Structures are given as structure tokens and as C-alpha cells.
Amino acid sequence: MMRKTLLAAALSVTAFAAQADYQCSVTPRDDVILKPQTVQVKGENGDLVITPDGNVTYNGKQYTLSAAQREQAKDYQTDLRSALPWIDEGARSRVEKGRVALDKIITEQVGASSNMHGRLTKLDAQLKEQMNRIIEHRSDGLTFHYKGVDQVRADGQQLVNQAMGGILQDSINEMGAKAVLKGGGNPLQGILGSLGGLQTAIQDEWKNQEADFQKFGKDVCGRVTALEQSRKALVSGLK
């Protein structure tokens, strides 16, 4: 269950895609570049640039728009400016919530001096680095890199797997040392009992967080779907 909890946090970095086990029917195929002067949507679907007042350039050509088209363009770029920071903050906050919860469990079950705390801190930093490969923070705004989603999904899984190996070894070593110092009975039985208590605590925490991960995934998918529909409608009107 610790693996599942950590993996859900890792999958939070695939922010524009599905969260946890939720699969979205829309897969982004464009980068989104937010700057104060422009919003740019560039990738497999062409190169669309929109200014805050609704001027549109598509594949290098500036278009003369009707009043309705200009409002459509303004609404689309406004929605992008709202959605991208919301997704970024939602993903980052869930990674942090997962780290804090697991850190607390380790303190309660193993102790404040456990090496597992350090491993979680390292994993947290690594996951946030991965997140920046998808939604990059720049001095002039945010940039979503659509190709980063699949890359980070694989790398995030690998990071979690590596962290799990170390955490499992630490838990055995530290609980084993406590069982030996405590003395009496069967030390192995004591280790297994302690590991069982740790697993139960993590399983309970996962149940608390799972619904939130799933809801966030569906909310992200809903926004992505609406944005893609808006993009298609705008570009179709230009053609």
C-alpha cells in the first residue's frame, strides 16, 4: 500500500492526463505557453497564438476576426490561463499531502529518527523536479510540455520503485534492531508484527486519499476536454 500511495503521488505529476487509475479520453498533443502578452498552443495541431484582447495568429498568419470569434478567442485564452495554474497547484498540493501523511505514519510507527524520513524527503524533491518537466515554471509564466507526460510517468514510477526498495530495507533493519533490543519472544515475529502495523496504517491513509486523487483526475480530464473542444471550435472557424 505504501507503493500505491507513493505511485499515486508520482502520477500527480502527469497533471494534464489522468490521475491515479482514472483514464481520460483526451490526450493533449500541444504545448501551452502562458506569457503576459500571449497564450501559445503549439504542437501536432499547429501553432496558435492569442493575445489577451483576442487577436489570433494561426500557423504564422494573422486573422481578421468577427466580434463573435474575437470573444471566442478571448474566452479560450482566459480559460487556459486559469486551468494551467489550477492543475499545477492541485498536483503539487497532492504530492505534498501524500508526503506529509506518510512522514507522520513513519514517525508514529517507527520513530522520528528513521532513515525513511530522509528517503521520503528525497523522493519529494525528485517528484517536484519531474513536475517541472511537465508544467515548467518560468520567469514570465508557465509552460505545459505535452511530451513530458509519458516521459515523467515512466520516470516517476522508477523513482517510486527505487524509493520503495530503500524504505522496505530501512523498515526491516530499524524494526529488527528494536525487536532485538526489546528482547523476549521471537524477534522475527516482532518484526513481522511491526511491519503489519505499518502496512495497516498506510492502507488506511490510502483509503483516505484515494477518492481525492480520483476526483482530481476527473476534474482535470473535464477541463482538458472542454479546452480541446474550445480549441477545435476556434480553429475550425478560422479555416
Side-chain angles (χ1 to χ4, degrees), residues 176-197:
K178 284 187 176 182
V180 171
L181 289 174
K182 186 177 181 181
N186 187 334
L188 179 58
Q189 187 175 10
I191 296 172
L192 293 175
S194 297
L195 287 172

Side-chain angles (χ1 to χ4, degrees), residues 82-162:
S82 171
L84 198 57
W86 176 82
I87 292 170
D88 181 59
E89 173 59 27
R92 289 177 180 273
S93 67
R94 282 162 177 81
V95 170
E96 178 64 15
K97 181 180 178 181
R99 184 197 65 78
V100 170
L102 289 173
D103 208 49
K104 181 180 178 182
I105 290 171
I106 290 170
T107 297
E108 293 173 346
Q109 297 290 325
V110 187
S113 61
S114 172
N115 289 333
M116 287 186 276
H117 293 295
R119 293 189 188 275
L120 279 181
T121 299
K122 180 181 179 180
L123 178 62
D124 179 65
Q126 290 173 325
L127 291 178
K128 287 174 180 175
E129 287 178 6
Q130 294 296 312
M131 293 173 72
N132 206 51
R133 293 172 59 191
I134 295 179
I135 301 181
E136 180 184 1
H137 288 240
R138 296 180 173 178
S139 59
D140 59 350
L142 297 176
T143 297
F144 166 69
H145 301 279
Y146 79 97
K147 289 184 179 179
V149 172
D150 289 338
Q151 297 167 356
V152 169
R153 189 192 304 272
D155 290 348
Q157 172 115 30
Q158 185 176 5
L159 288 172
V160 170
N161 289 342
Q162 291 172 348

Side-chain angles (χ1 to χ4, degrees), residues 170-235:
D170 284 343
S171 64
I172 294 172
N173 291 343
E174 294 172 10
M175 291 177 176
K178 284 187 176 182
V180 171
L181 289 174
K182 186 177 181 181
N186 187 334
L188 179 58
Q189 187 175 10
I191 296 172
L192 293 175
S194 297
L195 287 172
L198 179 62
Q199 180 179 357
T200 298
I202 293 171
Q203 183 175 356
D204 290 343
E205 182 57 36
W206 168 246
K207 290 178 181 177
N208 292 335
Q209 295 193 28
E210 184 176 18
D212 181 55
F213 275 111
Q214 294 288 343
K215 182 179 183 302
F216 182 55
K218 292 179 181 179
D219 290 345
V220 169
C221 182
R223 289 208 177 196
V224 172
T225 301
L227 287 168
E228 180 62 8
Q229 290 172 346
S230 296
R231 184 197 64 77
K232 286 181 177 180
L234 177 60
V235 171

